[in-house]
Amino acid sequence: MTEEFEVLHRVAREYCDVIEAVGEQEQGWLKKVVKILPRLHAAISAILEMEQSGGKPVEANLEKRFSLFSKLHQLLGDKDAYWMEYDLGNEECRSGSLADDLTDIYCELKQGLHMLENENADPDTVLLNWREGYKIHWGRHLLDAERHLYELSSRGNL
């Protein structure tokens, strides 16, 4: 494994640990997420510079995903929904969801972490899955979450 992969692996584990501990820890979990997401973004960006292709889509466990989404949605309350560029002006038309963003990032990263726990796991496969997943799915969630958390933070609303 490369140094870049080790960094991504470490940050992915840290991110998943914070999300898994939501509800069991102090109110500051969202501030921890604010600090981790840019590090996650930097780590995956370093990986994107490597010339590799492949990977396969991650199969989602929809029941677990919905359970985590529901928990985060409830905890975030009015901090969850945000405006997307194509939303209408009505308050109920906000289509972005921080809970959805954090859940999708978690599910993609956690799948790779599960694979790495297997003694026969191929780190290259995990790396390729994370890279391709970022490009086609969770990368947009990462950007949207960072943008929304920036807005909340700049208004002192974390």
Side-chain angles (χ1 to χ4, degrees):
M1 287 191 266
T2 65
E3 181 180 340
E4 292 86 358
F5 180 76
E6 290 293 336
V7 170
L8 178 57
H9 180 213
R10 191 171 44 255
V11 175
R13 167 118 6 248
E14 186 178 344
Y15 174 80
C16 289
D17 287 347
V18 168
I19 296 299
E20 289 168 3
V22 166
E24 300 169 9
Q25 56 187 329
E26 76 284 352
Q27 294 289 328
W29 72 273
L30 201 52
K31 290 181 181 179
K32 290 180 181 179
V33 171
V34 167
K35 291 179 181 178
I36 293 170
L37 290 183
R39 291 177 35 229
L40 179 60
H41 202 154
I44 191 66
S45 293
I47 295 295
L48 292 174
E49 293 177 7
M50 301 172 148
E51 291 296 324
Q52 294 178 339
S53 62
K56 59 183 179 182
V58 173
E59 289 187 33
N61 180 326
L62 297 180
E63 191 172 308
K64 285 184 180 179
R65 188 205 174 285
F66 183 73
S67 176
L68 177 60
F69 166 77
S70 297
K71 180 179 182 179
L72 293 176
H73 178 71
Q74 183 178 8
L75 282 170
L76 289 166
D78 63 352
K79 296 176 186 170
D80 182 45
Y82 58 85
W83 297 101
M84 300 293 286
E85 62 271 8
Y86 50 81
D87 287 341
L88 302 174
N90 299 337
E91 193 65 25
E92 59 275 353
C93 292
R94 294 183 298 171
S95 61
S97 167
L98 183 57
D100 182 59
D101 295 332
L102 299 179
T103 298
D104 282 0
I105 295 166
Y106 171 86
C107 290
E108 295 260 355
L109 295 176
K110 190 64 176 183
Q111 178 69 23
L113 293 173
H114 279 307
M115 290 173 67
L116 289 171
E117 290 171 1
N118 181 347
E119 290 181 19
N120 300 325
D122 176 21
D124 288 335
T125 300
V126 173
L127 174 63
L128 293 174
N129 286 347
W130 279 344
R131 284 179 78 240
E132 295 309 307
Y134 172 83
K135 288 180 189 176
I136 63 173
H137 181 232
W138 66 271
R140 179 165 302 279
H141 287 288
L142 179 60
L143 290 170
D144 289 343
E146 286 180 299
R147 183 177 47 81
H148 182 56
L149 287 168
Y150 169 79
E151 290 298 324
L152 289 174
S153 179
S154 68
R155 287 184 268 142
N157 199 15
L158 283 179

